[in-house]
Every structure is written in C-alpha cells, then in structure tokens.
Amino acid sequence: MPQTRAPLLLALLSFALFAGIAFWRAQQPLPAAPPAVQGRVVISAPVLLALYGGDRFLAANLETFRLAATGMEHGQTDTHYLVRAQQVVAELNACQEDNYYLANGLLTWGGAVEEGNEVLRAAVECRFWDEIPPFFYGINLAFFQHNNEEAARVLEIGAQRSSQNAAALRKLAVMLRAEQFADERLALNYLTQQRDGASDPKLRDMLDKRVIRLQGLIDLREAQRQFEIEHGPLTDLQELVTQDILDELPTDPLRLGYELRDGSIELKKLKIAGLEERP
C-alpha cells in the first residue's frame, strides 16, 4: 500500500509546485517593452563588401541606387538616413559619381552641410580627373563656411583638371580672394542648373525645394540691406515685416528656416543627433 501512495504523493507535490510557480509569476510586473530602434538601419561598409563578394565598386553602385530610391519619399528627404548611407557609399568607393551629386544636392543644400561636404571632400581626392567635385566643394566652402581662401584653393584644383572651364574657375578663385562676388547669386545659378539637369523627377523636386529655399535667402538679404539703410542694424527677422520691407517672411519648403547670425541672415542647418556642428 505505501508503494501505491508514493506516485500519488509525487504527483500532488508536483502539482503544488507548479501552482505555486504559476501564482508567483502572475504577481510579477510585465517587463517593459524594449525601446523601439530609432532611424533606419544602414549596413556597414565591411558587411556590404562581404555581401557583394568583395566587389566594392558593385556594392557602392547598388547601394547608391537603393538610397536614391528610398531616401526620398512624399516630397521630403530622410536626411538622417542619407547622411549615414552616403558616408558608407563614400567609404566603399569615394569616386562614385551619383553619390557625390546626391550628397551635394540633398545633404549640403538640405541643411546637413558638414556631412555632405565630407562626401565631396572624398570625391575631390578620389576623382583626380574631375573638375565638378572641386567646383561643388569650393562653392560650398565660400557660401556656407565663408572660407574664401580654402574655396579659392579648391577651385584652382578644379581649374587644373578642366579643359574647357579652367579660365572661369580661376577667375572665380581670384574674385573669392578679393571678396568681389555675390555668393548667393552664383550659388542660386549653379543649384538651378543642377535641378534643371536632373533626370529623376523625385530628385528634381527635391532640388527645386532647395532652389526655392535659396531664393528666400536672397530675398531676405536684399530686404536686410534696404532695412539697414533706413533703420540701422537688423536685430530680428520679423522687423522686415513690421517695417513694411516684406509682406511676410519667406517660407522654407525644407521647414528648417532662416536665422540672423552675427548680423547676417543665414540658412539654418539641420541638427544631426550625435554629431556636433564643426566650424
């Protein structure tokens, strides 16, 4: 008889243990859900190199096609994604032509100035035969960073590579050193040319927004000149409206806006999380 009770006691003990554990777990708070991953995933250059069989040129080409197709959506660019993705492409192949065009048009002129210029700097060094990266980079240095001396040096590099535009690039370098050219007008002209030459409709639309944004800056600077002749230094952009210089402040289609910095009206830059603005 004792032998027949042993399995029954063991079953009762097992059930009691199971019930106790189930009751204890029911009293525990639910674990917090893991935080959602912010931002789109960008595969690192070494992993992409392995995925494409060690062919860095193929990897850079295909990744550029992909980011061009996925980095623009609903009339806006995913700038945080493009910053990381285009830097990976530049790491794979700094000579990739579409990548530096996109970086200039969508990053530098979209508020991520330093990040777009990093891609251009790499293209200047890699594409030793190409005058366009030095031209883009030189204009950006003059317009955004007001570094005319370095801009002139880079433009002279472009002149050395050019068979048709060498004289124009050298003249521009001289004018920069003498501080004799209206940089925003020149910038508008070349950005308009980029837009008009874009074959992809989405890219053309993105560049058109940058043209509108730059035209707004030109209008603001012209209004500032008129205001300061009549009223002295401008201290707030809204004064241009209250003094009837402008009916309203220009609307930036990129939603970044304009700001008065050290007495000059400038395009606001995009703040990239984790990256500090460099001088």
Side-chain angles (χ1 to χ4, degrees), residues 46 67 225 279:
L67 68 88
R225 283 188 278 269

Side-chain angles (χ1 to χ4, degrees), residues 7 47 51 55-56 76 85-86 100 109 112 115 138 149 153 161 174 216 219-220 243 255 261 268:
V47 174
L51 290 174
D55 189 334
R56 63 186 181 92
Q76 297 293 328
Q86 293 193 241
Y100 82 72
W109 288 90
E115 292 73 27
E149 185 60 36
R153 185 190 72 81
R161 299 175 180 180
V174 170
D219 294 342
L220 283 170
Q243 294 296 329
R255 305 173 188 171
R261 190 190 311 155
K268 276 189 178 179

Side-chain angles (χ1 to χ4, degrees), residues 18-142:
F18 170 78
I21 292 174
F23 178 79
W24 176 80
R25 285 179 61 96
Q27 307 307 310
Q28 302 305 305
L30 291 174
V37 177
Q38 299 296 321
R40 296 165 62 180
V41 173
V42 174
I43 302 174
S44 66
V47 174
L48 285 172
L49 198 59
L51 290 174
Y52 289 105
D55 189 334
R56 63 186 181 92
F57 299 105
L58 177 63
N61 289 342
L62 294 181
E63 282 301 299
T64 300
F65 297 153
R66 187 176 66 81
L67 68 88
T70 60
M72 298 176 285
E73 190 174 359
H74 306 303
Q76 297 293 328
T77 53
D78 188 343
T79 307
H80 293 76
Y81 162 69
L82 286 175
V83 164
R84 294 175 289 125
Q86 293 193 241
Q87 288 176 343
V88 166
V89 172
E91 186 179 346
L92 288 165
N93 178 18
C95 287
Q96 222 290 337
E97 185 174 17
D98 290 336
N99 193 51
Y100 82 72
Y101 264 97
L102 289 170
N104 186 60
L106 301 184
L107 294 185
T108 304
W109 288 90
V113 176
E114 288 80 7
E115 292 73 27
N117 278 350
E118 283 181 9
V119 177
L120 282 174
R121 272 196 297 271
V124 169
E125 295 179 6
C126 185
R127 296 178 66 88
F128 57 86
W129 66 92
D130 191 350
E131 69 194 79
I132 301 300
F135 175 60
F136 284 176
Y137 185 39
I139 293 297
N140 294 346
L141 283 170

Side-chain angles (χ1 to χ4, degrees), residues 139-150:
I139 293 297
N140 294 346
L141 283 170
F143 183 76
F144 290 107
Q145 297 171 316
H146 309 295
N147 190 344
N148 286 3
E149 185 60 36
E150 179 63 11

Side-chain angles (χ1 to χ4, degrees), residues 184-185 215-229 240 245-246 265:
E184 66 268 21
R185 294 285 178 181
Q215 183 62 61
L217 177 67
I218 291 173
D219 294 342
L220 283 170
R221 286 181 173 177
E222 181 57 39
Q224 180 184 13
R225 283 188 278 269
Q226 183 180 341
F227 176 92
E228 292 184 342
I229 289 173
L240 300 174
I245 306 294
L246 293 174
I265 300 176

Side-chain angles (χ1 to χ4, degrees), residues 256-267:
L256 292 173
Y258 310 90
E259 63 182 346
L260 191 63
R261 190 190 311 155
D262 298 328
S264 176
I265 300 176
E266 306 287 349
L267 299 169

